[in-house]
Amino acid sequence: MKVTFPHMGHMWICLAAMLEYLGVEVVVPPPTSKRTLTLGARHAPEFACLPLKLNLGNFIEAAERGADTILMAGGCGPCRFGYYAQVEHAILEDLGYNYRLVVMEPPQRHVGELLSKIKYITGHSSWWEVIRGIRFGYQKARMVDELERQAHYLRPRESHRGSTDKAFQRALQEIIPVKHPRDLPKAAERARKIMAQVAIKPRPVLRVGIVGEIFTLLEPFANHDLERKLGYLGVQADRSIYLSEWINDHLFLGLVRGLRSRREACRAAPPYLNHFVGGHGQETVGSTVIYARQGYDGVIQLLPFTCMPEIVAHSVLPGLSNELDIPTLTITVDEQSGEAGLVTRLEAFVDLLARKRGVVV
Amino acid sequence: MKGYLGIDVGSVSTNLVFMGENGKIREAIYLRTRGQPIFALQEGLRQLAERLPANTVVRGVGTTGSGRYLAGIIAGADVVKNEITSHAVAASTLVPGVQTILEIGGQDSKIIILRNGVVTDFAMNTVCAAGTGSFLDQQAARLNIPIEDFGELALKSTVPVRIAGRCAVFAESDMIHKQQMGYSLPDILAGLCEALVRNYLNNVGKGKEILPPVVFQGGVAANAGMRRAFEQALGLEVHVPPHYNVMGAVGAALLAREKMAGGGTSRFRGFGVAKTRFKAGGFECEGCPNLCEVVEITREGEVIARWGDRCGRWSGSLGCQENAV
């Protein structure tokens, strides 16, 4: 069995770590690229959202490397994502790929449901081993998120353009090859040291929160490297959901304490949006409220074209933006997105924020 | 004479203005880009050099528009700013107190909201309000009327026909339908203006508070029919400033003046640029599956700028001062 899974930012680092620790052979799809998108968009329904197209492309490219089993998340509720695993599998079958499909539905009652799915893939591992494997993958996710946060802080302040990105890539190379939990702390130290070496200059920096649909938030290919672009424009970005937070919320049901969670975001959403609308719609509204309270300069909402939950949130944002005095910008992405248009909107938005605050970035 | 140069390289038009130190516009040039921004810019600089006295000193250069980086490299710009900021700066300088700017160019439509002289909100066309200017141009050509007469003809209408305006494809087929039903040309043209205004307000202006004074600028502002349709839809007076079609360039010149106020010498390469041989070439990088299209600008055979790669492999391999415009 050679297991593959779709790309979503740096998720592969933590998934591969977990599965390989449990002795499963893993085929990581090649990094999501224009080719991935071309393959996916060719075979996906036109009005499906970007995540489906990219997932499909990932699976086709992984098959070229010998993958035969798909590990995919499921879901429920108004967002279509819940049936993407089945739809993608059916499309792949029509195309002649012989994939086995394992869907990890978010546990409804307890973590046991999730564990049994993982145990199905790992086969012979003991329960204890499975739990240790999950913990190992999760620790890697925490580490990657920490490095990414560090990069968000450094990028607008770096003395030499591009030095943060280089350091970040080198730091990741310390984390990725670690095969056993006992080696992780030392690798983490080395990674932190690399990030600490980036030279910075004190300068006025704007703070912008990024909210929206999780896949477009986490996958830099889908959002045209939004965080890097913002960094270069002198903006310290904060993402409203990081991978480790999402894992804790949705797979561990909030078991790990002390992390930012979707519950705070959902609590902050009323009276603008009082109930679940699917996907991360309610979190988008709530996180925007939280960012406004924390004194952020602005908020950017990201969504794939045709994403229903985010469209609901989008229609709520203008009123909220007026009342709480926080500028918002909505960016919709799909395979038709052009980069020049995105850059113009970002520059204009940052100009607006800078002039409002009276700083020159 | 001393002054500032503002350059706006757009998809349809390339505009240059020369602004005196007191902020007065001395010369304004409006050219068609015709898909060749470098050539249009060089032609503009050549015409400008002809019109200006020989002792002219350019104290600063600003570029804007979708070709701003390209123009910035070629002319040697001191400031490169996007269209929204340039248009807002120009409108609030020429029309003090402006609170709403409606901007419709060849390809892009935008709305800019200002309060107390500061941009507080903006929006650009999303999926289906793009290309209003180009569409009007194309319809005028199809009906065989000069684009300059379009607006005056529309004003003659007494009963505008209702036209479906969601997107250019539907608008055109509905226009043809109305023609075949026998409506008069002025009524159809006025109906088209109303449809485009409706579409603009529904898509671009959605959720924005439009307060007076309202300024209408961009190439389409020349069309009196569009102006009247806006006034009727908003119930407000709509101002069209004298330099409505080169406002981006005016804004770029103003931003250049702002930037150079602290002193320093301009990076302007001189009007001789018009005679220099620039070439934009490109290649597909095969370093990874992204297959980025890398653009290369050469001056007299020497590479002076590169962009388009995601990873920085090519754009980062040149001297920093050339790139970092």
Side-chain angles (χ1 to χ4, degrees):
Chain A
M1 181 154 55
K2 291 181 178 176
V3 179
T4 192
F5 39 78
H7 272 299
M8 183 164 82
H10 295 108
M11 183 180 75
W12 67 275
I13 297 175
C14 101
L15 264 178
M18 177 190 92
L19 293 169
E20 281 171 355
Y21 177 77
L22 295 170
V24 179
E25 203 177 335
V26 172
V27 178
V28 178
T32 301
S33 66
K34 229 193 260 173
R35 177 167 186 262
T36 317
L37 181 57
T38 310
L39 286 171
R42 186 185 304 155
H43 300 295
E46 192 198 346
F47 278 96
C49 64
L50 190 65
L52 184 136
K53 292 169 186 170
L54 291 179
N55 288 355
L56 200 59
N58 286 149
F59 295 145
I60 294 174
E61 288 188 312
E64 290 165 2
R65 299 191 173 190
D68 59 20
T69 305
I70 292 172
L71 187 60
M72 177 75 187
C76 53
C79 169
R80 295 177 288 183
F81 180 74
Y83 62 66
Y84 273 16
Q86 312 295 343
V87 171
E88 285 161 11
H89 190 229
I91 294 173
L92 288 167
E93 270 192 342
D94 286 349
L95 292 174
Y97 293 96
N98 254 327
Y99 260 128
R100 198 165 0 165
L101 178 69
V102 180
V103 186
M104 307 232 277
E105 301 286 351
Q108 297 290 326
R109 260 174 233 107
H110 54 85
V111 190
E113 296 173 40
L114 177 73
L115 289 177
S116 60
K117 279 284 161 68
I118 295 176
K119 203 151 180 311
Y120 168 76
I121 292 182
T122 58
H124 54 275
S125 302
S126 70
W127 282 108
W128 176 235
E129 278 297 295
V130 169
I131 289 172
R132 293 234 319 211
I134 294 175
R135 199 161 156 255
F136 179 45
Y138 180 67
Q139 282 170 337
K140 275 206 178 181
R142 286 286 290 265
M143 196 54 222
V144 171
D145 286 349
E146 184 191 319
L147 293 175
E148 225 167 350
R149 279 209 171 89
Q150 191 71 30
H152 290 162
Y153 176 85
L154 292 171
R155 224 174 259 133
R157 295 175 170 89
E158 64 189 8
S159 309
H160 302 287
R161 164 77 55 105
S163 54
T164 305
D165 288 316
K166 283 204 188 96
F168 179 56
Q169 289 310 323
R170 269 175 48 218
L172 282 182
Q173 287 312 317
E174 295 291 337
I175 304 296
I176 292 166
V178 175
K179 295 280 179 232
H180 196 277
R182 67 168 176 262
D183 301 328
L184 199 55
K186 279 206 175 128
E189 267 326 295
R190 289 196 299 274
R192 287 193 187 105
K193 239 181 224 149
I194 293 172
M195 295 305 279
Q197 278 164 5
V198 176
I200 55 171
K201 263 196 290 208
R203 56 170 69 123
V205 160
L206 295 163
R207 288 194 306 161
V208 167
I210 307 176
V211 301
E213 188 274 330
I214 182 154
F215 182 89
T216 37
L217 284 184
L218 293 186
E219 176 54 57
F221 180 85
N223 63 35
H224 298 265
D225 260 329
L226 179 73
E227 286 159 354
R228 175 144 54 123
K229 289 200 168 84
L230 284 173
Y232 286 170
L233 289 172
V235 172
Q236 182 183 337
D238 182 57
R239 199 190 292 155
S240 58
I241 317 171
Y242 285 86
L243 182 62
S244 56
E245 294 164 350
W246 181 82
I247 295 175
N248 187 35
D249 270 339
H250 292 267
L251 300 181
F252 300 168
L253 301 177
L255 233 55
V256 182
R257 298 285 158 207
L259 276 191
R260 185 169 56 176
S261 116
R262 60 179 294 269
R263 276 174 227 161
E264 301 158 44
C266 293
R267 259 202 303 273
Y272 304 104
L273 188 54
N274 295 328
H275 52 83
F276 181 66
V277 290
H280 294 84
Q282 202 182 8
E283 284 97 318
T284 293
V285 172
S287 301
T288 308
V289 173
I290 292 174
Y291 282 130
R293 284 185 195 145
Q294 289 174 344
Y296 270 69
D297 295 294
V299 168
I300 294 178
Q301 184 201 15
L302 264 172
L303 64 142
F305 188 51
T306 71
C307 173
M308 189 278 291
E310 292 300 325
I311 292 171
V312 174
H314 174 43
S315 62
V316 173
L317 287 184
L320 190 167
S321 160
N322 257 340
E323 238 172 81
L324 301 181
D325 189 30
I326 184 157
T328 60
L329 173 73
T330 297
I331 292 171
T332 314
V333 290
D334 77 348
E335 74 268 25
Q336 320 281 349
S337 302
E339 192 145 342
L342 173 69
V343 170
T344 300
R345 283 160 178 79
L346 285 183
E347 284 179 0
F349 188 63
V350 172
D351 263 347
L352 175 165
L353 301 182
R355 284 192 172 234
K356 187 171 174 230
R357 260 241 329 244
V359 298
V360 181
V361 263
Chain B
M1 189 165 60
K2 290 175 183 168
Y4 300 88
L5 188 57
I7 302 171
D8 179 355
V9 178
S11 55
V12 174
S13 69
T14 295
N15 315 314
L16 293 91
V17 301
F18 187 80
M19 186 182 81
E21 283 188 293
N22 53 3
K24 207 168 162 246
I25 304 301
R26 297 298 179 110
E27 295 292 344
I29 290 175
Y30 180 99
L31 294 168
R32 291 278 176 156
T33 308
R34 296 181 202 278
Q36 301 181 63
I38 298 179
F39 179 75
L41 173 56
Q42 286 184 310
E43 174 63 20
L45 284 170
R46 195 186 61 75
Q47 290 186 13
L48 200 59
E50 259 174 29
R51 290 199 211 167
L52 289 168
N55 62 350
T56 303
V57 177
V58 175
R59 308 259 333 253
V61 179
T63 61
T64 189
S66 51
R68 59 188 177 280
Y69 292 104
L70 184 66
I73 294 280
I74 290 190
D78 302 297
V79 58
V80 177
K81 277 279 178 190
N82 63 74
E83 304 88 292
I84 307 252
T85 308
S86 304
H87 282 136
V89 166
S92 58
T93 310
L94 296 186
V95 188
V98 58
Q99 294 207 85
T100 310
I101 301 170
L102 317 170
E103 221 281 334
I104 305 184
Q107 201 50 237
D108 274 331
S109 311
K110 27 193 156 341
I111 185 167
I112 308 171
I113 306 289
L114 296 103
R115 296 292 180 260
N116 302 318
V118 179
V119 178
T120 58
D121 202 0
F122 72 89
M124 277 174 92
N125 51 282
T126 51
V127 265
C128 237
T132 304
S134 300
F135 180 62
L136 284 170
D137 215 13
Q138 189 204 333
Q139 291 309 313
R142 183 174 70 82
L143 300 169
N144 203 14
I145 47 174
I147 183 72
E148 294 78 22
D149 300 345
F150 191 114
E152 290 308 316
L153 261 173
L155 288 185
K156 289 196 184 122
S157 155
T158 44
V159 194
V161 182
R162 193 173 173 90
I163 302 227
R166 169 166 285 282
C167 83
V169 177
F170 292 136
E172 176 160 6
S173 50
D174 200 30
M175 269 176 80
I176 291 170
H177 170 62
K178 299 282 152 63
Q179 267 164 240
Q180 318 298 42
M181 284 170 76
Y183 286 100
S184 79
L185 194 57
D187 287 347
I188 292 176
L189 295 183
L192 181 64
C193 289
E194 286 184 359
L196 292 174
V197 163
R198 205 161 52 231
N199 193 30
Y200 172 92
L201 293 174
N202 290 343
N203 281 303
V204 184
K206 178 155 58 188
K208 307 265 181 277
E209 193 183 15
I210 296 176
L211 296 179
V214 178
V215 165
F216 179 23
Q217 59 192 38
V220 173
N223 189 321
M226 287 295 286
R227 179 183 172 181
R228 188 181 67 172
F230 266 122
E231 288 186 328
Q232 282 174 348
L234 295 172
L236 292 169
E237 195 192 343
V238 169
H239 302 271
V240 176
H243 296 291
Y244 64 89
N245 62 347
V246 292
M247 291 294 268
V250 172
L254 285 163
L255 285 161
R257 185 173 71 168
E258 200 175 284
K259 171 84 186 272
M260 303 309 280
T265 44
S266 173
R267 294 156 68 157
F268 183 46
R269 294 189 200 266
F271 288 104
V273 164
K275 294 193 204 86
T276 316
R277 269 189 311 117
F278 285 96
K279 220 176 126 249
F283 56 90
E284 201 168 66
C285 170
E286 286 174 0
C288 78
N290 273 323
L291 304 178
C292 295
E293 288 143 30
V294 183
V295 176
E296 236 179 25
I297 309 294
T298 58
R299 181 184 58 204
E300 304 290 348
E302 173 206 2
V303 179
I304 56 167
R306 282 199 195 105
W307 58 74
D309 48 339
R310 275 170 175 254
C311 66
R313 173 179 169 187
W314 299 101
S315 52
S317 66
L318 285 168
C320 281
Q321 70 275 44
E322 291 283 13
N323 282 311
V325 179

